[in-house]
Amino acid sequence: QVQLVESGGGLVQPGGSLRLSCAASESINTIYGMAWYRQAPGKQREPVAQIDSSTTYYLDSVRGRFTISRDNAKNTVDLQMNNLKPEDTAVYYCKIDAWWRSGIRDGFWGQGTQVTVSS
């Protein structure tokens, strides 16, 4: 099974920045889409940012502060988070939907990385 490994989470003060990274354990033939989601305590998981070959999407509350990017050669997707706010506190999950080198076509989730914004 494909495994997505996330890194970059942690504790940061309001106004600070973090960069999350997500790397796939298996090579990819074709990327259909990559995304970051987050889930705060007691809340539903929500999409934060998504990217495919032609478009990007951002949650309204993060637009202008967060930037999603991908490196096709490295099979990674990053989320640069600037001007962080306490309400950004959540567990962040990456998701990659792709035609994988093994031949399967499916989406997989990362294990989640904690982001805490607090003074």
PDB file of all heavy atoms in Angstrom, residues 4-39:
ATOM      1  N   LEU A   4       2.067   7.873   2.633  1.00  0.00           N
ATOM      2  CA  LEU A   4       2.434   9.277   2.534  1.00  0.00           C
ATOM      3  C   LEU A   4       2.990   9.719   3.874  1.00  0.00           C
ATOM      4  O   LEU A   4       2.329   9.580   4.903  1.00  0.00           O
ATOM      5  CB  LEU A   4       1.227  10.139   2.154  1.00  0.00           C
ATOM      6  CG  LEU A   4       0.447   9.738   0.903  1.00  0.00           C
ATOM      7  CD1 LEU A   4      -0.651  10.765   0.623  1.00  0.00           C
ATOM      8  CD2 LEU A   4       1.371   9.600  -0.295  1.00  0.00           C
ATOM      9  N   VAL A   5       4.199  10.257   3.867  1.00  0.00           N
ATOM     10  CA  VAL A   5       4.885  10.664   5.081  1.00  0.00           C
ATOM     11  C   VAL A   5       4.890  12.176   5.170  1.00  0.00           C
ATOM     12  O   VAL A   5       5.415  12.853   4.282  1.00  0.00           O
ATOM     13  CB  VAL A   5       6.318  10.117   5.124  1.00  0.00           C
ATOM     14  CG1 VAL A   5       7.012  10.562   6.410  1.00  0.00           C
ATOM     15  CG2 VAL A   5       6.308   8.602   5.029  1.00  0.00           C
ATOM     16  N   GLU A   6       4.321  12.705   6.249  1.00  0.00           N
ATOM     17  CA  GLU A   6       4.206  14.135   6.454  1.00  0.00           C
ATOM     18  C   GLU A   6       5.231  14.615   7.474  1.00  0.00           C
ATOM     19  O   GLU A   6       5.602  13.888   8.392  1.00  0.00           O
ATOM     20  CB  GLU A   6       2.799  14.506   6.929  1.00  0.00           C
ATOM     21  CG  GLU A   6       1.704  14.071   5.976  1.00  0.00           C
ATOM     22  CD  GLU A   6       0.322  14.263   6.552  1.00  0.00           C
ATOM     23  OE1 GLU A   6       0.209  14.632   7.744  1.00  0.00           O
ATOM     24  OE2 GLU A   6      -0.658  14.051   5.819  1.00  0.00           O
ATOM     25  N   SER A   7       5.642  15.862   7.326  1.00  0.00           N
ATOM     26  CA  SER A   7       6.563  16.476   8.261  1.00  0.00           C
ATOM     27  C   SER A   7       6.359  17.982   8.264  1.00  0.00           C
ATOM     28  O   SER A   7       5.726  18.532   7.361  1.00  0.00           O
ATOM     29  CB  SER A   7       8.018  16.139   7.911  1.00  0.00           C
ATOM     30  OG  SER A   7       8.371  16.656   6.643  1.00  0.00           O
ATOM     31  N   GLY A   8       6.905  18.656   9.267  1.00  0.00           N
ATOM     32  CA  GLY A   8       6.902  20.104   9.308  1.00  0.00           C
ATOM     33  C   GLY A   8       5.958  20.729  10.311  1.00  0.00           C
ATOM     34  O   GLY A   8       5.995  21.945  10.514  1.00  0.00           O
ATOM     35  N   GLY A   9       5.106  19.943  10.938  1.00  0.00           N
ATOM     36  CA  GLY A   9       4.204  20.488  11.927  1.00  0.00           C
ATOM     37  C   GLY A   9       4.926  20.861  13.206  1.00  0.00           C
ATOM     38  O   GLY A   9       6.102  20.560  13.395  1.00  0.00           O
ATOM     39  N   GLY A  10       4.200  21.547  14.078  1.00  0.00           N
ATOM     40  CA  GLY A  10       4.784  21.946  15.341  1.00  0.00           C
ATOM     41  C   GLY A  10       4.036  23.079  15.983  1.00  0.00           C
ATOM     42  O   GLY A  10       2.908  23.404  15.600  1.00  0.00           O
ATOM     43  N   LEU A  11       4.669  23.693  16.968  1.00  0.00           N
ATOM     44  CA  LEU A  11       4.104  24.815  17.712  1.00  0.00           C
ATOM     45  C   LEU A  11       4.701  26.111  17.194  1.00  0.00           C
ATOM     46  O   LEU A  11       5.924  26.241  17.062  1.00  0.00           O
ATOM     47  CB  LEU A  11       4.397  24.659  19.202  1.00  0.00           C
ATOM     48  CG  LEU A  11       3.990  25.807  20.118  1.00  0.00           C
ATOM     49  CD1 LEU A  11       2.472  25.978  20.123  1.00  0.00           C
ATOM     50  CD2 LEU A  11       4.519  25.568  21.526  1.00  0.00           C
ATOM     51  N   VAL A  12       3.832  27.071  16.910  1.00  0.00           N
ATOM     52  CA  VAL A  12       4.282  28.360  16.399  1.00  0.00           C
ATOM     53  C   VAL A  12       3.415  29.464  16.994  1.00  0.00           C
ATOM     54  O   VAL A  12       2.240  29.247  17.300  1.00  0.00           O
ATOM     55  CB  VAL A  12       4.230  28.383  14.856  1.00  0.00           C
ATOM     56  CG1 VAL A  12       2.797  28.270  14.355  1.00  0.00           C
ATOM     57  CG2 VAL A  12       4.896  29.634  14.307  1.00  0.00           C
ATOM     58  N   GLN A  13       3.992  30.639  17.167  1.00  0.00           N
ATOM     59  CA  GLN A  13       3.248  31.784  17.679  1.00  0.00           C
ATOM     60  C   GLN A  13       2.382  32.400  16.593  1.00  0.00           C
ATOM     61  O   GLN A  13       2.677  32.271  15.400  1.00  0.00           O
ATOM     62  CB  GLN A  13       4.206  32.837  18.226  1.00  0.00           C
ATOM     63  CG  GLN A  13       4.968  32.394  19.460  1.00  0.00           C
ATOM     64  CD  GLN A  13       5.847  33.485  20.020  1.00  0.00           C
ATOM     65  OE1 GLN A  13       6.258  34.400  19.297  1.00  0.00           O
ATOM     66  NE2 GLN A  13       6.143  33.402  21.299  1.00  0.00           N
ATOM     67  N   PRO A  14       1.293  33.063  16.973  1.00  0.00           N
ATOM     68  CA  PRO A  14       0.488  33.766  15.974  1.00  0.00           C
ATOM     69  C   PRO A  14       1.344  34.704  15.139  1.00  0.00           C
ATOM     70  O   PRO A  14       2.210  35.405  15.662  1.00  0.00           O
ATOM     71  CB  PRO A  14      -0.532  34.543  16.817  1.00  0.00           C
ATOM     72  CG  PRO A  14      -0.666  33.732  18.065  1.00  0.00           C
ATOM     73  CD  PRO A  14       0.714  33.182  18.330  1.00  0.00           C
ATOM     74  N   GLY A  15       1.087  34.699  13.837  1.00  0.00           N
ATOM     75  CA  GLY A  15       1.880  35.487  12.912  1.00  0.00           C
ATOM     76  C   GLY A  15       3.088  34.762  12.364  1.00  0.00           C
ATOM     77  O   GLY A  15       3.725  35.253  11.425  1.00  0.00           O
ATOM     78  N   GLY A  16       3.395  33.614  12.912  1.00  0.00           N
ATOM     79  CA  GLY A  16       4.529  32.843  12.461  1.00  0.00           C
ATOM     80  C   GLY A  16       4.233  32.017  11.233  1.00  0.00           C
ATOM     81  O   GLY A  16       3.132  32.058  10.677  1.00  0.00           O
ATOM     82  N   SER A  17       5.215  31.236  10.814  1.00  0.00           N
ATOM     83  CA  SER A  17       5.111  30.447   9.595  1.00  0.00           C
ATOM     84  C   SER A  17       5.566  29.016   9.827  1.00  0.00           C
ATOM     85  O   SER A  17       6.426  28.743  10.671  1.00  0.00           O
ATOM     86  CB  SER A  17       5.959  31.057   8.476  1.00  0.00           C
ATOM     87  OG  SER A  17       5.521  32.355   8.136  1.00  0.00           O
ATOM     88  N   LEU A  18       4.986  28.120   9.069  1.00  0.00           N
ATOM     89  CA  LEU A  18       5.399  26.731   9.014  1.00  0.00           C
ATOM     90  C   LEU A  18       5.295  26.251   7.577  1.00  0.00           C
ATOM     91  O   LEU A  18       4.474  26.757   6.804  1.00  0.00           O
ATOM     92  CB  LEU A  18       4.526  25.840   9.900  1.00  0.00           C
ATOM     93  CG  LEU A  18       4.696  25.917  11.412  1.00  0.00           C
ATOM     94  CD1 LEU A  18       3.617  25.086  12.092  1.00  0.00           C
ATOM     95  CD2 LEU A  18       6.079  25.435  11.828  1.00  0.00           C
ATOM     96  N   ARG A  19       6.107  25.267   7.249  1.00  0.00           N
ATOM     97  CA  ARG A  19       6.027  24.635   5.942  1.00  0.00           C
ATOM     98  C   ARG A  19       5.850  23.142   6.136  1.00  0.00           C
ATOM     99  O   ARG A  19       6.717  22.479   6.709  1.00  0.00           O
ATOM    100  CB  ARG A  19       7.279  24.919   5.110  1.00  0.00           C
ATOM    101  CG  ARG A  19       7.172  24.416   3.661  1.00  0.00           C
ATOM    102  CD  ARG A  19       8.411  24.784   2.852  1.00  0.00           C
ATOM    103  NE  ARG A  19       8.295  24.387   1.453  1.00  0.00           N
ATOM    104  CZ  ARG A  19       7.772  25.143   0.499  1.00  0.00           C
ATOM    105  NH1 ARG A  19       7.325  26.362   0.787  1.00  0.00           N
ATOM    106  NH2 ARG A  19       7.705  24.701  -0.754  1.00  0.00           N
ATOM    107  N   LEU A  20       4.729  22.624   5.665  1.00  0.00           N
ATOM    108  CA  LEU A  20       4.441  21.205   5.744  1.00  0.00           C
ATOM    109  C   LEU A  20       4.869  20.518   4.455  1.00  0.00           C
ATOM    110  O   LEU A  20       4.706  21.076   3.367  1.00  0.00           O
ATOM    111  CB  LEU A  20       2.948  20.961   5.974  1.00  0.00           C
ATOM    112  CG  LEU A  20       2.299  21.676   7.160  1.00  0.00           C
ATOM    113  CD1 LEU A  20       0.827  21.275   7.258  1.00  0.00           C
ATOM    114  CD2 LEU A  20       3.038  21.367   8.449  1.00  0.00           C
ATOM    115  N   SER A  21       5.392  19.316   4.594  1.00  0.00           N
ATOM    116  CA  SER A  21       5.804  18.539   3.441  1.00  0.00           C
ATOM    117  C   SER A  21       5.178  17.158   3.499  1.00  0.00           C
ATOM    118  O   SER A  21       4.954  16.609   4.577  1.00  0.00           O
ATOM    119  CB  SER A  21       7.330  18.410   3.379  1.00  0.00           C
ATOM    120  OG  SER A  21       7.944  19.666   3.190  1.00  0.00           O
ATOM    121  N   CYS A  22       4.927  16.595   2.338  1.00  0.00           N
ATOM    122  CA  CYS A  22       4.336  15.276   2.224  1.00  0.00           C
ATOM    123  C   CYS A  22       5.034  14.541   1.095  1.00  0.00           C
ATOM    124  O   CYS A  22       5.072  15.031  -0.042  1.00  0.00           O
ATOM    125  CB  CYS A  22       2.835  15.393   1.953  1.00  0.00           C
ATOM    126  SG  CYS A  22       1.982  13.834   1.637  1.00  0.00           S
ATOM    127  N   ALA A  23       5.575  13.374   1.398  1.00  0.00           N
ATOM    128  CA  ALA A  23       6.320  12.599   0.419  1.00  0.00           C
ATOM    129  C   ALA A  23       5.716  11.212   0.276  1.00  0.00           C
ATOM    130  O   ALA A  23       5.418  10.548   1.274  1.00  0.00           O
ATOM    131  CB  ALA A  23       7.785  12.486   0.821  1.00  0.00           C
ATOM    132  N   ALA A  24       5.549  10.772  -0.946  1.00  0.00           N
ATOM    133  CA  ALA A  24       4.992   9.454  -1.220  1.00  0.00           C
ATOM    134  C   ALA A  24       6.081   8.392  -1.198  1.00  0.00           C
ATOM    135  O   ALA A  24       7.215   8.626  -1.628  1.00  0.00           O
ATOM    136  CB  ALA A  24       4.293   9.443  -2.569  1.00  0.00           C
ATOM    137  N   SER A  25       5.727   7.219  -0.700  1.00  0.00           N
ATOM    138  CA  SER A  25       6.679   6.117  -0.609  1.00  0.00           C
ATOM    139  C   SER A  25       6.858   5.382  -1.927  1.00  0.00           C
ATOM    140  O   SER A  25       7.788   4.587  -2.062  1.00  0.00           O
ATOM    141  CB  SER A  25       6.225   5.119   0.459  1.00  0.00           C
ATOM    142  OG  SER A  25       4.992   4.519   0.103  1.00  0.00           O
ATOM    143  N   GLU A  26       5.980   5.640  -2.870  1.00  0.00           N
ATOM    144  CA  GLU A  26       5.990   4.940  -4.141  1.00  0.00           C
ATOM    145  C   GLU A  26       6.013   5.946  -5.279  1.00  0.00           C
ATOM    146  O   GLU A  26       5.412   7.018  -5.186  1.00  0.00           O
ATOM    147  CB  GLU A  26       4.763   4.028  -4.250  1.00  0.00           C
ATOM    148  CG  GLU A  26       4.694   3.188  -5.515  1.00  0.00           C
ATOM    149  CD  GLU A  26       3.508   2.237  -5.522  1.00  0.00           C
ATOM    150  OE1 GLU A  26       3.207   1.669  -4.450  1.00  0.00           O
ATOM    151  OE2 GLU A  26       2.892   2.063  -6.583  1.00  0.00           O
ATOM    152  N   SER A  27       6.677   5.583  -6.352  1.00  0.00           N
ATOM    153  CA  SER A  27       6.744   6.447  -7.518  1.00  0.00           C
ATOM    154  C   SER A  27       5.377   6.594  -8.172  1.00  0.00           C
ATOM    155  O   SER A  27       4.506   5.737  -8.042  1.00  0.00           O
ATOM    156  CB  SER A  27       7.745   5.898  -8.534  1.00  0.00           C
ATOM    157  OG  SER A  27       9.053   5.864  -7.995  1.00  0.00           O
ATOM    158  N   ILE A  28       5.218   7.684  -8.893  1.00  0.00           N
ATOM    159  CA  ILE A  28       3.948   8.034  -9.504  1.00  0.00           C
ATOM    160  C   ILE A  28       4.117   8.157 -11.012  1.00  0.00           C
ATOM    161  O   ILE A  28       5.057   8.780 -11.496  1.00  0.00           O
ATOM    162  CB  ILE A  28       3.415   9.357  -8.923  1.00  0.00           C
ATOM    163  CG1 ILE A  28       3.138   9.206  -7.430  1.00  0.00           C
ATOM    164  CG2 ILE A  28       2.168   9.818  -9.667  1.00  0.00           C
ATOM    165  CD1 ILE A  28       2.782  10.500  -6.738  1.00  0.00           C
ATOM    166  N   ASN A  29       3.196   7.555 -11.734  1.00  0.00           N
ATOM    167  CA  ASN A  29       3.171   7.718 -13.185  1.00  0.00           C
ATOM    168  C   ASN A  29       2.503   9.026 -13.587  1.00  0.00           C
ATOM    169  O   ASN A  29       3.042   9.785 -14.392  1.00  0.00           O
ATOM    170  CB  ASN A  29       2.447   6.545 -13.844  1.00  0.00           C
ATOM    171  CG  ASN A  29       3.187   5.241 -13.714  1.00  0.00           C
ATOM    172  OD1 ASN A  29       4.412   5.198 -13.662  1.00  0.00           O
ATOM    173  ND2 ASN A  29       2.435   4.141 -13.658  1.00  0.00           N
ATOM    174  N   THR A  30       1.316   9.259 -13.033  1.00  0.00           N
ATOM    175  CA  THR A  30       0.549  10.453 -13.334  1.00  0.00           C
ATOM    176  C   THR A  30      -0.141  10.941 -12.075  1.00  0.00           C
ATOM    177  O   THR A  30      -0.820  10.168 -11.405  1.00  0.00           O
ATOM    178  CB  THR A  30      -0.508  10.190 -14.418  1.00  0.00           C
ATOM    179  OG1 THR A  30       0.120   9.694 -15.603  1.00  0.00           O
ATOM    180  CG2 THR A  30      -1.276  11.463 -14.747  1.00  0.00           C
ATOM    181  N   ILE A  31       0.020  12.217 -11.765  1.00  0.00           N
ATOM    182  CA  ILE A  31      -0.642  12.823 -10.621  1.00  0.00           C
ATOM    183  C   ILE A  31      -1.973  13.400 -11.063  1.00  0.00           C
ATOM    184  O   ILE A  31      -2.025  14.245 -11.953  1.00  0.00           O
ATOM    185  CB  ILE A  31       0.220  13.924  -9.992  1.00  0.00           C
ATOM    186  CG1 ILE A  31       1.549  13.355  -9.499  1.00  0.00           C
ATOM    187  CG2 ILE A  31      -0.535  14.592  -8.844  1.00  0.00           C
ATOM    188  CD1 ILE A  31       2.521  14.407  -9.024  1.00  0.00           C
ATOM    189  N   TYR A  32      -3.041  12.952 -10.441  1.00  0.00           N
ATOM    190  CA  TYR A  32      -4.362  13.498 -10.724  1.00  0.00           C
ATOM    191  C   TYR A  32      -4.649  14.720  -9.861  1.00  0.00           C
ATOM    192  O   TYR A  32      -5.273  15.675 -10.320  1.00  0.00           O
ATOM    193  CB  TYR A  32      -5.439  12.437 -10.515  1.00  0.00           C
ATOM    194  CG  TYR A  32      -5.264  11.209 -11.380  1.00  0.00           C
ATOM    195  CD1 TYR A  32      -5.489   9.935 -10.864  1.00  0.00           C
ATOM    196  CD2 TYR A  32      -4.886  11.320 -12.707  1.00  0.00           C
ATOM    197  CE1 TYR A  32      -5.335   8.808 -11.650  1.00  0.00           C
ATOM    198  CE2 TYR A  32      -4.727  10.200 -13.508  1.00  0.00           C
ATOM    199  CZ  TYR A  32      -4.958   8.945 -12.972  1.00  0.00           C
ATOM    200  OH  TYR A  32      -4.798   7.829 -13.757  1.00  0.00           O
ATOM    201  N   GLY A  33      -4.213  14.678  -8.615  1.00  0.00           N
ATOM    202  CA  GLY A  33      -4.426  15.797  -7.728  1.00  0.00           C
ATOM    203  C   GLY A  33      -3.723  15.602  -6.403  1.00  0.00           C
ATOM    204  O   GLY A  33      -3.501  14.482  -5.958  1.00  0.00           O
ATOM    205  N   MET A  34      -3.372  16.715  -5.784  1.00  0.00           N
ATOM    206  CA  MET A  34      -2.776  16.712  -4.463  1.00  0.00           C
ATOM    207  C   MET A  34      -3.504  17.738  -3.605  1.00  0.00           C
ATOM    208  O   MET A  34      -3.965  18.763  -4.114  1.00  0.00           O
ATOM    209  CB  MET A  34      -1.288  17.054  -4.519  1.00  0.00           C
ATOM    210  CG  MET A  34      -0.436  16.004  -5.207  1.00  0.00           C
ATOM    211  SD  MET A  34       1.321  16.468  -5.208  1.00  0.00           S
ATOM    212  CE  MET A  34       2.075  14.915  -5.699  1.00  0.00           C
ATOM    213  N   ALA A  35      -3.586  17.463  -2.324  1.00  0.00           N
ATOM    214  CA  ALA A  35      -4.354  18.341  -1.457  1.00  0.00           C
ATOM    215  C   ALA A  35      -3.877  18.258  -0.020  1.00  0.00           C
ATOM    216  O   ALA A  35      -3.239  17.284   0.393  1.00  0.00           O
ATOM    217  CB  ALA A  35      -5.845  17.989  -1.516  1.00  0.00           C
ATOM    218  N   TRP A  36      -4.205  19.299   0.732  1.00  0.00           N
ATOM    219  CA  TRP A  36      -4.041  19.327   2.174  1.00  0.00           C
ATOM    220  C   TRP A  36      -5.405  19.555   2.818  1.00  0.00           C
ATOM    221  O   TRP A  36      -6.163  20.431   2.378  1.00  0.00           O
ATOM    222  CB  TRP A  36      -3.078  20.426   2.621  1.00  0.00           C
ATOM    223  CG  TRP A  36      -1.647  20.118   2.333  1.00  0.00           C
ATOM    224  CD1 TRP A  36      -0.936  20.460   1.236  1.00  0.00           C
ATOM    225  CD2 TRP A  36      -0.753  19.394   3.187  1.00  0.00           C
ATOM    226  NE1 TRP A  36       0.355  20.001   1.336  1.00  0.00           N
ATOM    227  CE2 TRP A  36       0.496  19.338   2.530  1.00  0.00           C
ATOM    228  CE3 TRP A  36      -0.878  18.792   4.439  1.00  0.00           C
ATOM    229  CZ2 TRP A  36       1.614  18.703   3.087  1.00  0.00           C
ATOM    230  CZ3 TRP A  36       0.227  18.156   4.986  1.00  0.00           C
ATOM    231  CH2 TRP A  36       1.451  18.118   4.309  1.00  0.00           C
ATOM    232  N   TYR A  37      -5.692  18.766   3.827  1.00  0.00           N
ATOM    233  CA  TYR A  37      -6.892  18.901   4.633  1.00  0.00           C
ATOM    234  C   TYR A  37      -6.483  19.171   6.076  1.00  0.00           C
ATOM    235  O   TYR A  37      -5.330  18.968   6.462  1.00  0.00           O
ATOM    236  CB  TYR A  37      -7.739  17.628   4.587  1.00  0.00           C
ATOM    237  CG  TYR A  37      -8.408  17.336   3.261  1.00  0.00           C
ATOM    238  CD1 TYR A  37      -7.670  16.966   2.146  1.00  0.00           C
ATOM    239  CD2 TYR A  37      -9.798  17.407   3.140  1.00  0.00           C
ATOM    240  CE1 TYR A  37      -8.285  16.683   0.933  1.00  0.00           C
ATOM    241  CE2 TYR A  37     -10.424  17.122   1.937  1.00  0.00           C
ATOM    242  CZ  TYR A  37      -9.660  16.757   0.839  1.00  0.00           C
ATOM    243  OH  TYR A  37     -10.280  16.473  -0.351  1.00  0.00           O
ATOM    244  N   ARG A  38      -7.439  19.617   6.871  1.00  0.00           N
ATOM    245  CA  ARG A  38      -7.172  19.763   8.295  1.00  0.00           C
ATOM    246  C   ARG A  38      -8.420  19.420   9.090  1.00  0.00           C
ATOM    247  O   ARG A  38      -9.544  19.516   8.602  1.00  0.00           O
ATOM    248  CB  ARG A  38      -6.696  21.176   8.638  1.00  0.00           C
ATOM    249  CG  ARG A  38      -7.760  22.261   8.523  1.00  0.00           C
ATOM    250  CD  ARG A  38      -7.143  23.629   8.773  1.00  0.00           C
ATOM    251  NE  ARG A  38      -8.130  24.694   8.722  1.00  0.00           N
ATOM    252  CZ  ARG A  38      -7.839  25.985   8.749  1.00  0.00           C
ATOM    253  NH1 ARG A  38      -6.561  26.377   8.838  1.00  0.00           N
ATOM    254  NH2 ARG A  38      -8.800  26.889   8.697  1.00  0.00           N
ATOM    255  N   GLN A  39      -8.193  19.020  10.326  1.00  0.00           N
ATOM    256  CA  GLN A  39      -9.285  18.681  11.219  1.00  0.00           C
ATOM    257  C   GLN A  39      -8.967  19.201  12.612  1.00  0.00           C
ATOM    258  O   GLN A  39      -8.016  18.750  13.249  1.00  0.00           O
ATOM    259  CB  GLN A  39      -9.524  17.171  11.252  1.00  0.00           C
ATOM    260  CG  GLN A  39     -10.750  16.762  12.032  1.00  0.00           C
ATOM    261  CD  GLN A  39     -11.137  15.318  11.789  1.00  0.00           C
ATOM    262  OE1 GLN A  39     -10.346  14.522  11.286  1.00  0.00           O
ATOM    263  NE2 GLN A  39     -12.360  14.965  12.133  1.00  0.00           N
TER     264      GLN A  39
END
